[in-house]
Structures are given as C-alpha cells and as structure tokens.
C-alpha cells in the first residue's frame, strides 16, 4: 500500500515561504502607514479646532469693531450737528 503524504518540494516550499514573508512585510508597511494616517488625522483635527476657535474670535472682534465704528459715527454726526448749529 502506497501512502501519499502532503510533502512539497523544497522549491515550492521556498516560494511559499518567500510569499509569506513578503505578505508579512506588506502587512507591517500597511500598519505603519495606517498609524501615520491616524496621527496625521489627529493633527489635522487639532488644527481644525484651533482654526475654528480663531475664526470665532476674529468674528467677535469684527462685530465689536463694527459696533465701535457705528457708535463713533453716531457721535461724529452729533458733533457735526452741534458745529453746524454754531
């Protein structure tokens, strides 16, 4: 009786092993790329928060300056009216 074992030739084994090692290398490279992308995403999210905060602050400043300008224009109009009366 002949038994057929699952043996493969050394060449086939080396090819398969080479493919396995290459796949592990690609997997490690992809994991590193994923970590880098996650870090970059966190950095961009923090930058976005800072930009939104700055935008809100600048908007508040613009509104304050517009109010001050409007108040100053009203005061100037009153002074002009008084000068015209004199």
């Amino acid at each position: 009786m002949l038994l057929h074992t699952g043996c493969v030739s050394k060449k086939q084994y080396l090819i398969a092993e080479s493919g396995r090692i290459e796949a592990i290398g690609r997997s490690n490279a992809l994991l590193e790329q994923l970590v880098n992308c996650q870090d970059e995403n966190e950095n961009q999210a923090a930058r976005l928060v800072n930009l939104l905060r700055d935008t809100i602050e600048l908007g508040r400043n613009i509104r304050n300056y517009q109010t001050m300008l409007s108040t100053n224009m009203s005061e100037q109009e009153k002074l002009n009216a008084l000068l015209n009366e004199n």
Side-chain angles (χ1 to χ4, degrees):
M1 176 170 184
L2 272 178
L3 291 176
H4 188 286
T5 61
C7 295
V8 294
S9 71
K10 184 175 180 178
K11 181 180 178 181
Q12 289 173 323
Y13 171 78
L14 290 176
I15 290 170
E17 184 64 10
S18 174
R20 186 182 74 81
I21 291 171
E22 185 180 328
I24 289 171
R26 282 194 315 253
S27 174
N28 289 340
L30 288 172
L31 285 173
E32 183 178 341
Q33 188 178 5
L34 175 63
V35 169
N36 290 339
C37 287
Q38 289 170 334
D39 289 345
E40 180 63 22
N41 186 47
E42 289 174 10
N43 290 338
Q44 293 297 330
R47 186 169 180 240
L48 178 62
V49 167
N50 289 335
L51 289 171
L52 288 172
R53 186 188 64 239
D54 290 349
T55 300
I56 290 168
E57 184 178 337
L58 289 172
R60 186 178 310 122
N61 288 342
I62 288 171
R63 285 187 294 279
N64 288 340
Y65 290 135
Q66 286 173 333
T67 301
M68 288 172 29
L69 181 60
S70 176
T71 301
N72 286 341
M73 290 301 290
S74 296
E75 292 298 319
Q76 183 178 358
E77 289 169 0
K78 289 177 188 175
L79 289 173
N80 284 339
L82 286 174
L83 285 174
N84 287 335
E85 288 177 8
N86 292 334

